[in-house]
Structures are given as C-alpha cells and as structure tokens.
C-alpha cells in the first residue's frame, strides 16, 4: 500500500504561500516542492517509481522521469525508513493552474503494479524565480506587490488627493479558487480550452484576460459598471471596502455579474486577482485623466454662444481621476526595452480587439510615445497627454477653437509607497518633464501637434478661489477677473456650478450667474457665488463633488478663457475602536460611531465591515433614522483568523450621504502554545 502526503507546511513556507487560506497545496513554478510517499514495505529491487501529471482542464498527460532536465517537469527520490521523499521540479514557464499528480510503482519490465490516489496542487507564477517572466529582484517590492493584502487606492482630484483604504485579501479563503474560476469562464477558455491552457504560461495573456474578465461588459465577467447614480438593484460602488466580497458573490451566484463598480473597484479587484496568481501588481491613479473617444489626442469641450455646454452623445471628457493597475513582467512578444511595468485597465471604456479590455501596455512605450505598441498604447498615451480644446459652436454648425490647454491632463500619477501608507508619485514613468525637449520629441512621434502659444497673452486673467467646503454647509466661491493690461476692458462672465461625478457626468446644475462687466486697467473684479446646501444637497453625487466652471469672453474678441475647479466637499470620518486581546481566535469587539453632519435626517443607514485575516464582510443596519448632528453607535464582535498587521475597513452609507469611511489597524499575535503554571 502506498499513499502520498503533501508536506503542505514545508512547501508553502518555501513557496511563500503559507498565508493562503486553502487546504490545497499551493506552489510556485520554477521551484522544487516535495511529496512524501508512505511505503509500508521497502521498494523491491529494480522496481521504479514514475509520476503522471495532469493539468485539470486539459486532457494532456505528462509522465515525469526521474532525471534532471531544467526545461521540463522531473522528479528525484530519496529513500527513508518507511517513506520515499519525492522532490518535483517544475519548469519556470509551465502554465499556471490546477494540477493533479499520481505516483506509479512500475515493475522492472514497466508494468504498473500500483498507483496512489491523485493529489492536486495549484501552480502559480513565481516572481522570486530568475527564469520566470514575472521575476522581480527586490524583496521589499515583492512584500508589497505580491504579499500585502491591504493597500490604498488614490481618489479626489489633482489638487486635493485623498486615499481610500482597500482590502485586497488575495490570501483569504477561496480566493485562489475563484481566480482560476475567472480564467476558466473567459470566452477563450470556454471555446478553446486547450489553447487557453497552453497560453496560461504567459503573464501577458493571463493579465489581458483578467482585465477583460473583471468587467462584465462582454463575457461572464465579475463587476458591472454603472455611473448614473441608480444603484438600488445592487451595491453602490462607493460602499465596497475590498475585493473579497465581490469575488465571492460572483462565484456563489454561478459567474453572475456583481452590481456595481466604478474604476477604483475594477482596479482593486484586478489587483487582488493578479497578486493572488503571483504577478506583481500595484494600483495606479492618474489625475485629470482624459477619455478621448475619437482618438485625436484632444479632449474637445463644446459650448454655444450663450456659453452653455453642447457636447452631445459619447463625448470626450476629463475624469478627475482614473484608476488602473500596473503589473510587472517581461514582454517577449515585443522588441527589446519594454519589460517591466505594464499598464492594465479593467474599467470598460473603449473596445480593444473588439473586447472591453486594455493592456498590458508597457509604461515605457507611453513615456516614449510609441503609440503602436501592443496593447492599447495610444489609448493610455491620450489618458495622460491629451490637449484640452475649447470650441464655440455657432447656430449654423460652424465651430471655432477658442482656447487650448496643454498641461491639464495627466498629473500626479500615484501609487502607494512600498515603505508605508503614503503616496509615491510615478508621473515621471509616464511622461517627460513638462516643457522639456524630450517631451516635444515624444509628442511629434505620437502625432500630437506641438502648438506654440499664439501671440501676446490676453489682458484678462481668470482665477477661482474657495474656502474648505464641508458637505452639509453653505460656502462661498470667489471668481476673480484680473486686468493686467493698460486699458479698461469690457467682458461677459458666465459662472456655473454643477454637481458632478468623478468622471465628469453632470447630475444637476446648482447655480448659474451671468454678468457683463468692465474691468479697470490693472485692477480686479470679484464675483461671489454662494453655494447653499439646500440647492446642491439634492443633486450632489455619491462622490460629493461640485464643479465650478467660469467662462470669460472679452467683448468683440473671439477668445474665450476657461477656468474650472473641482470642489471636493469634505466628509466626516467614522470612529472605529477595537477592544479586547489582539490574539488569533479570541473574540474582539469593534465599536463604530458616526455623527450626522447634515442639516437633514438620514434614513436607511448601513455599516459594512471587513478585513483580511479578521472577518469576512458583514453588514449592520443603523437602528434608527439619524437626525441632524445626532450620533449613531453600533458594535460588532469577530474572531481574527491570522496573525500580523491587519486592517479593519468600515463604510457607512445612507440615503443622503455615501462613502463615509473608517479604519482600525491591529497587530495580532498567535495564541501562546502553553500556559505557565
């Protein structure tokens, strides 16, 4: 009788998968792992052992030899008293996936005398292995980009950056199974499983498949995107605090799309899946991100003669921020020089090869203007480099360009630092310094026109100022028109304030003011706009943003000056305090409180709580309506499952306020093995 024993602990420590909460053996490719074969008798002389390896979806069977061969699967054996230690070597370019292995006892003439019951294991990418195409030779980076289950996603706007704590949870229970389930549900896997399996050796293929599968636009994808504010038949995008509940919900419903996500949700989920599979990945945020629908490297804003916006249909726009991810890999499919970070954008914006996915696109190709590089370099290039062009459209359909802004788009490109919870600016990886010779060369190469500022600067300058604005209060916005010339100048000023989403969808106009003015030479004119909560409160989006746009037209001249500010209304924090001994498997209690900052009563309040190694996602309803200035308190008990630095993420949502967040950080110890007398 023979049976194999998987030495799970020894392997998972060596393969850095011990955090993964699964019964199954998890190993990384290109690195040997061991099985112990229990033998109740010693092996008879001249009998041999062989192994049969089977990749789950595929019928291909590979028989392993007991001899060394660096580019193939092989094994070696070492006898001990009542067992044989089998060490299995996998090639560093083997397809990732679920394998099963059976050990055979062969007679001297090659007949199968006995075989073990099959043992299964997952094989993952191995960024610690030199020969693997995702090899990253820096332990500190791997600690963050593979092993860290918590992170920050950057939001806000370029001049008011905020961070959202996110629970990636890539080692939580079932997550690795769900990641392979996502690959198994891709159109290629369903129509041509054999080819798909072979391609799973390639991180370029796997990461591109994941960007297509994280959004539910074409396939049995994970998250359905929605931006219009109508989320009653699902979860509002702002309510999520991590990827695990989304992945579990998708899997439990039989690969049914989860409603709803927006860009940070897509990037958070993609980051979880790619880290789990073993591809080093980080979330990235681009501020003032261009969405150029017609590919002309311009974002076109259209106004009529009354300075009302007339951009119709699928319009070009600038998103306050846009999140994607970068993954680290070699690009053997491209000419030399494009290895390293690759941009991957799982948010469904434009089709690529007929499918909503974007990337992997070498970040170096974006910086150098190589817009023909696979995949989607032109789209990513325009996200960080497009010009903002303002046009006036006349009644007969003619339009004239009235302003051009070349340095708005693509600012403060951000990711979380590997050294802690602060921002690392990676703009220089995407573009050369503003105004440098190199930048000009890149624009010419990419086909973006290089315009010289035309003629002398105008006499009038436009500035918008505002104090710190708090959601629920009234506040002033001041528009200043400065006349820097020597003559009094007549002009027409239009100022509008709109409730918008982070990706520039209008939810309602709060205020509009038009004034004819004459600005004296060397003086300034001030226009004050009072924004009241009873005006903006009803239409403000879940992103709590007010966009103030000022358009100034000098009388008798074609030129229009455009200024825009995005005012992020600041929100209260949740108060989260955890009480008890921070020891694995011991009960802890989280006390969560929130004070309503609005002058109105909040209804339907709900708290969402989750944390990798602490607790699965849970919801707690607020006991009652919450009046203006009133405090609500809830508590929740949980038993942590894993030691180390852990974060508990909390979200609060109600009918008139969303996206209120709180966080508690804990350091958990394992239970002591013994108790002194």
């Amino acid at each position: 009788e023979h049976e194999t024993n998987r030495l799970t602990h020894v392997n998972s420590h060596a393969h850095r998968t011990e955090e993964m909460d699964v019964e199954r053996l998890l190993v990384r490719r290109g690195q040997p792992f061991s099985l112990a074969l229990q033998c109740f008798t010693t092996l008879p002389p001249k009998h041999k052992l062989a192994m049969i390896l089977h990749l789950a979806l595929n019928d291909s069977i590979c028989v392993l030899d007991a001899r060394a061969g660096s580019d193939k699967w092989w094994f070696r054996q070492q006898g001990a008293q009542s067992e044989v230690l089998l060490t299995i070597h996998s090639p560093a370019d083997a397809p990732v996936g679920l394998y099963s292995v059976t050990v055979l006892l062969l007679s001297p003439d090659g007949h199968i005398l006995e075989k073990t019951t099959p043992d299964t294991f997952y094989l993952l990418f191995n960024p610690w292995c030199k020969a693997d195409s995702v090899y990253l030779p820096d332990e500190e980076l791997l600690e963050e980009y593979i092993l860290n289950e918590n992170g920050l996603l950057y939001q806000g706007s370029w001049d008011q950056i905020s961070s959202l704590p996110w629970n990636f949870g890539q080692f939580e229970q079932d997550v690795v199974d769900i990641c392979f389930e996502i690959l198994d549900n891709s159109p290629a896997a369903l129509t041509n499983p054999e080819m798909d399996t072979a391609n799973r050796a390639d991180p370029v293929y796997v990461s591109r498949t994941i960007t297509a599968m994280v959004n539910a636009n074409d396939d049995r994808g994970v998250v359905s995107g929605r931006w219009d504010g109508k989320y009653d038949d699902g979860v509002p995008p702002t309510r999520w605090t991590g990827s695990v509940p989304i992945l579990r919900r998708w899997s439990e419903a039989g690969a049914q799309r989860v409603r709803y996500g927006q860009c940070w949700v897509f990037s958070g989920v993609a980051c979880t899946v790619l880290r789990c599979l073993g591809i080093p990945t980080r979330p990235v945020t681009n501020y003032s991100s261009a969405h150029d629908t017609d590919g002309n490297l311009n974002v076109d804003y259209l106004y009529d003669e009354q300075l009302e916006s007339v951009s119709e249909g699928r319009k070009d726009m600038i998103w306050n921020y846009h999140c994607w991810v970068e993954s680290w890999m070699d690009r053997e499919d491209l000419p030399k020089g494009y290895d390293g970070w690759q941009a991957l954008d799982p948010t469904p914006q434009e089709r690529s090869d007929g499918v909503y996915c974007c990337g992997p696109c070498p970040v170096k190709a974006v910086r150098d203007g190589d817009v023909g590089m696979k995949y989607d370099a032109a789209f990513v290039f325009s996200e960080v480099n497009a010009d903002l062009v303002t046009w006036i459209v006349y009644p007969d359909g003619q339009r004239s360009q009235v302003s051009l802004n070349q340095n708005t788009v693509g600012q403060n490109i951000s990711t979380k630092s590997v050294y802690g919870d602060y921002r690392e600016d990676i703009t220089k990886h995407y573009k050369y310094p503003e105004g440098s010779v190199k930048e000009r060369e890149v624009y010419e190469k990419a086909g973006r026109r290089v315009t010289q500022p035309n003629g002398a600067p105008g006499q009038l300058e436009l500035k918008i100022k505002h104090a710190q604005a708090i959601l629920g209060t009234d506040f002033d916005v001041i528009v200043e028109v400065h006349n820097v010339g020597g003559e009094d100048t007549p002009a027409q000023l239009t100022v509008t304030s709109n409730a918008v989403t982070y990706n520039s969808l209008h939810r309602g106009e709060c205020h509009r003011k038009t004034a004819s003015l004459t600005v004296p030479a060397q003086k300034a004119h001030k226009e004050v706009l009072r924004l009241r909560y009873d005006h903006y409160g009803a239409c403000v989006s879940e992103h709590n943003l007010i966009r103030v746009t000022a358009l100034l037209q000098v009388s008798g001249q074609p030129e229009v000056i455009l200024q825009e500010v995005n005012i992020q209304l600041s929100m209260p924090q949740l108060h989260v305090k955890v009480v008890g001994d921070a020891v694995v498997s011991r009960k802890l209690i989280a006390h969560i409180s929130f004070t309503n900052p609005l002058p109105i009563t909040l209804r339907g309040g709900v708290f969402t709580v989750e944390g990798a190694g602490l607790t699965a996602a849970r919801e707690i309803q607020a006991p009652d309506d919450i009046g203006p200035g009133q405090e609500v308190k809830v508590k929740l008990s949980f038993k942590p499952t894993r030691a180390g630095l852990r974060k508990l993420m909390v979200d609060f949502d109600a009918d008139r306020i969303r996206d209120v967040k709180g966080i508690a950080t804990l350091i958990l110890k394992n239970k002591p093995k013994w108790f002194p007398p």
Side-chain angles (χ1 to χ4, degrees):
E1 290 296 308
H2 297 77
E3 58 184 64
T4 53
N5 170 1
R6 291 179 303 196
L7 299 177
T8 304
H9 176 71
V10 181
N11 288 316
S12 62
H13 182 73
H15 287 255
R16 297 172 177 83
T17 57
E18 59 205 321
E19 283 281 337
M20 290 210 181
D21 192 357
V22 268
E23 295 298 297
R24 205 175 258 129
L25 180 59
L26 280 153
V27 292
R28 298 187 183 280
R29 63 188 193 173
Q31 183 176 336
F33 64 97
S34 309
L35 298 175
L37 180 69
Q38 310 284 329
C39 312
F40 300 110
T41 54
T42 49
L43 285 180
K46 294 198 174 166
H47 284 55
K48 282 203 307 234
L49 291 178
M51 275 190 187
I52 290 185
L53 194 69
H54 192 239
L55 185 47
L57 274 180
N58 212 328
D59 292 335
S60 63
I61 286 183
C62 146
V63 180
L64 275 61
D65 280 342
R67 60 159 190 271
S70 60
D71 57 341
K72 294 195 177 62
W73 288 88
W74 60 281
F75 74 96
R76 56 195 158 96
Q77 64 194 66
Q78 232 173 330
Q81 281 184 2
S82 60
E83 56 183 13
V84 180
L85 186 67
L86 302 168
T87 304
I88 301 175
H89 293 256
S90 62
D93 61 355
V96 297
L98 181 62
Y99 286 78
S100 72
V101 59
T102 311
V103 182
L104 310 178
L105 175 64
L106 302 177
S107 64
D109 58 354
H111 283 91
I112 298 174
L113 301 177
E114 224 177 303
K115 62 179 177 183
T116 60
T117 47
D119 221 340
T120 57
F121 63 91
Y122 275 124
L123 189 72
L124 306 174
F125 290 102
N126 192 352
W128 284 270
C129 166
K130 263 201 173 75
D132 196 312
S133 49
V134 298
Y135 175 59
L136 180 58
D138 184 325
E139 194 58 47
E140 271 176 316
L141 299 190
L142 290 166
E143 204 53 52
E144 179 73 32
Y145 300 144
I146 292 284
L147 300 177
N148 197 348
E149 289 184 271
N150 295 300
L152 296 173
L153 307 178
Y154 286 96
Q155 297 180 321
S157 54
W158 70 271
D159 55 349
Q160 210 174 333
I161 292 174
S162 59
S163 62
L164 171 75
W166 191 263
N167 179 45
F168 295 115
Q170 65 269 32
F171 303 140
E172 290 282 84
Q173 202 176 347
D174 317 322
V175 169
V176 66
D177 304 286
I178 296 169
C179 292
F180 282 108
E181 199 185 329
I182 291 171
L183 288 172
D184 293 345
N185 273 283
S186 77
L190 297 171
T191 53
N192 191 343
E194 255 137 59
M195 196 163 88
D196 175 71
T197 302
N199 281 330
R200 286 191 196 179
D202 177 11
V204 174
Y205 176 85
V206 170
S207 62
R208 186 161 169 82
T209 302
I210 294 300
T211 69
M213 286 299 293
V214 163
N215 69 70
N217 278 44
D218 306 287
D219 38 48
R220 306 170 70 160
V222 180
V223 183
S224 191
R226 189 157 193 170
W227 282 265
D228 63 3
K230 301 182 177 77
Y231 311 124
D232 290 349
D233 57 343
V235 175
T238 47
R239 191 179 294 174
W240 304 111
T241 46
S243 311
V244 181
I246 296 173
L247 292 167
R248 285 191 180 142
R249 204 176 269 217
W250 174 82
S251 174
E252 284 158 12
Q256 287 294 312
R257 63 188 59 191
V258 176
R259 305 195 272 253
Y260 287 104
Q262 290 173 4
C263 72
W264 70 92
V265 180
F266 293 115
S267 68
V269 171
C271 187
T272 295
V273 174
L274 294 162
R275 279 185 186 180
C276 183
L277 295 173
I279 301 174
T281 301
R282 62 188 187 185
V284 167
T285 300
N286 175 38
Y287 288 96
S288 301
S289 190
H291 183 145
D292 169 26
T293 51
D294 53 8
N296 64 353
L297 294 182
N298 287 343
V299 169
D300 298 306
Y301 277 17
L302 310 178
Y303 293 94
D304 64 14
E305 289 175 289
Q306 282 68 52
L307 302 184
E308 299 231 10
S309 173
V310 291
S311 302
E312 283 301 312
R314 285 184 62 225
K315 54 177 184 260
D316 289 2
M317 44 184 140
I318 292 177
W319 295 23
N320 276 19
Y321 65 87
H322 181 45
C323 301
W324 57 76
V325 298
E326 288 177 359
S327 289
W328 180 272
M329 66 191 73
D330 286 346
R331 291 301 300 268
E332 284 148 28
D333 55 328
L334 296 180
K336 254 196 171 31
Y338 295 109
D339 298 342
W341 289 115
Q342 311 290 320
L344 291 146
D345 187 350
T347 299
Q349 295 189 82
E350 298 293 321
R351 291 181 186 275
S352 168
D353 297 341
V355 178
Y356 280 101
C357 69
C358 172
C361 162
V363 174
K364 288 188 181 104
V366 177
R367 190 187 63 187
D368 291 331
D370 299 326
V371 291
M373 274 306 143
K374 287 196 312 208
Y375 288 89
D376 311 303
F379 186 73
V380 182
F381 182 86
S382 78
E383 285 183 305
V384 299
N385 281 310
D387 284 338
L388 169 54
V389 187
T390 311
W391 304 82
I392 297 279
V393 182
Y394 298 103
D396 62 359
Q398 293 288 316
R399 51 161 112 175
S400 74
Q401 179 183 325
V402 290
S403 81
L404 170 75
N405 192 330
Q406 288 202 298
N407 48 15
T408 307
V409 167
Q411 303 191 58
N412 296 347
I413 303 173
S414 303
T415 189
K416 174 188 166 317
S417 163
V418 297
Y419 304 113
D421 284 348
Y422 48 88
R423 191 179 76 86
E424 181 188 342
D425 193 293
I426 53 172
T427 312
K428 62 180 185 297
H429 298 187
Y430 281 86
K431 49 210 289 196
Y432 288 105
E434 225 36 271
S436 64
V437 175
K438 208 74 183 126
E439 183 196 43
R440 300 280 133 213
E441 287 171 8
V442 166
Y443 285 173
E444 279 168 2
K445 181 163 153 194
R448 173 178 159 184
R449 51 189 184 162
V450 182
T451 49
Q452 300 309 324
N454 45 2
Q459 295 218 340
L460 298 186
E461 289 171 358
L462 195 52
K463 290 188 177 122
I464 304 176
K465 296 175 176 171
H466 65 93
Q468 171 68 42
I470 296 165
L471 182 67
T473 63
D474 302 346
F475 60 94
D476 287 338
V477 177
I478 298 158
V479 180
E480 296 180 357
V481 183
H482 290 264
N483 184 348
V484 293
E487 293 167 27
D488 297 358
T489 309
Q492 180 93 1
L493 176 67
T494 301
V495 185
T496 59
S497 65
N498 288 285
V500 293
T501 62
Y502 80 98
N503 60 334
S504 290
L505 301 177
H506 282 236
R507 289 277 173 85
E509 188 167 274
C510 314
H511 210 99
R512 166 179 280 267
K513 194 169 188 180
T514 313
S516 293
L517 38 122
T518 297
V519 192
Q522 300 295 318
K523 293 267 190 326
H525 172 90
K526 283 188 184 169
E527 203 63 49
V528 179
L529 216 65
R530 180 92 177 140
L531 288 177
R532 298 182 195 282
Y533 180 73
D534 47 5
H535 282 159
Y536 73 75
C539 61
V540 71
S541 76
E542 63 273 25
H543 308 116
N544 303 311
L545 272 176
I546 304 285
R547 175 171 295 171
V548 177
T549 307
L551 286 151
L552 183 71
Q553 186 154 28
V554 180
S555 304
Q557 289 189 9
E559 195 186 351
V560 172
I561 303 164
L562 168 81
Q563 272 300 344
E564 230 170 32
V565 294
N566 293 293
I567 302 172
Q568 183 79 53
L569 301 168
S570 63
M571 298 267 281
Q573 286 264 308
L574 290 179
H575 204 73
V576 187
K577 188 171 186 223
V578 178
V579 184
D581 269 346
V583 175
V584 169
S585 303
R586 295 247 181 102
K587 191 163 102 171
L588 291 172
I589 296 177
H591 294 269
I592 304 161
S593 62
F594 166 72
T595 304
N596 176 7
L598 303 182
I600 54 170
T601 297
L602 294 173
R603 297 185 169 80
V606 61
F607 293 89
T608 313
V609 184
E610 73 172 291
L614 295 175
T615 173
R618 290 160 63 181
E619 276 195 0
I620 310 158
Q621 305 296 325
D624 297 298
D625 291 351
I626 310 158
Q630 200 183 330
E631 183 180 48
V632 59
K633 290 181 172 174
V634 295
K635 63 182 187 189
L636 155 104
S637 67
F638 59 95
K639 285 185 179 171
T641 53
R642 292 187 282 138
L645 184 81
R646 302 277 161 204
K647 298 194 175 195
L648 187 71
M649 317 285 188
V650 188
D651 169 81
F652 175 75
D653 259 27
D655 59 345
R656 293 288 293 268
I657 193 167
R658 294 200 191 279
D659 203 18
V660 186
K661 298 285 192 261
I663 185 168
T665 304
L666 310 172
I667 295 173
L668 281 153
K669 299 174 192 64
N670 277 313
K671 260 200 297 211
K673 294 275 188 283
W674 56 277
F675 293 98

